[in-house]
Amino acid sequence: MKRETLRKRGTGKAAIKAARIAMKRDRAALEADLSVPMVTWARRVLTLGTPELIKAVEDGVVSVKIAARVCRWSSRAQREILLSGKKLLLEDVCKAR
């Protein structure tokens, strides 16, 4: 994947794209100009997250870091928190579960 397509640093869409690349995390992070933890979080979201959570990250509704924590919850809990329409803040997510 070309570096130019993934240049938007810190965005969920770029992180999800980088996480989908079949290569080591550090290489994917370098190619996408993202941090290794960002790619790690994005891979966790792709692996454990519901399709709705992944879409929310790609659309920029939920940050990658928060989604990585939320994806540890059950699929039902992930859907409920997204449907509630409440803005997800890291502090709230950490306290909720």
Side-chain angles (χ1 to χ4, degrees), residues 1-7 13-23 27-28 30-34:
M1 187 167 290
K2 292 186 178 180
R3 188 178 183 125
E4 301 86 47
T5 43
L6 301 175
R7 288 296 288 182
K13 190 171 244 179
I16 294 292
K17 282 184 181 180
R20 284 188 172 131
I21 297 172
M23 63 177 74
R27 172 102 175 148
L30 180 65
E31 291 290 321
D33 195 26
L34 298 167

Side-chain angles (χ1 to χ4, degrees), residues 2 7 11 15 17 24 31-32 35 41 51 65 81 92 94:
K2 292 186 178 180
R7 288 296 288 182
T11 64
K17 282 184 181 180
K24 293 189 176 195
E31 291 290 321
S35 68
W41 296 329
K65 186 173 184 177
I81 195 75
D92 297 335
C94 292

Side-chain angles (χ1 to χ4, degrees), residues 37-68:
M38 180 76 76
V39 174
T40 303
W41 296 329
R43 282 192 176 169
R44 185 177 301 147
V45 172
L46 284 173
T47 304
L48 302 173
T50 61
E52 295 88 355
L53 184 61
I54 295 168
K55 176 110 173 76
V57 171
E58 289 178 332
D59 293 346
V61 175
V62 178
S63 75
V64 178
K65 186 173 184 177
I66 291 175

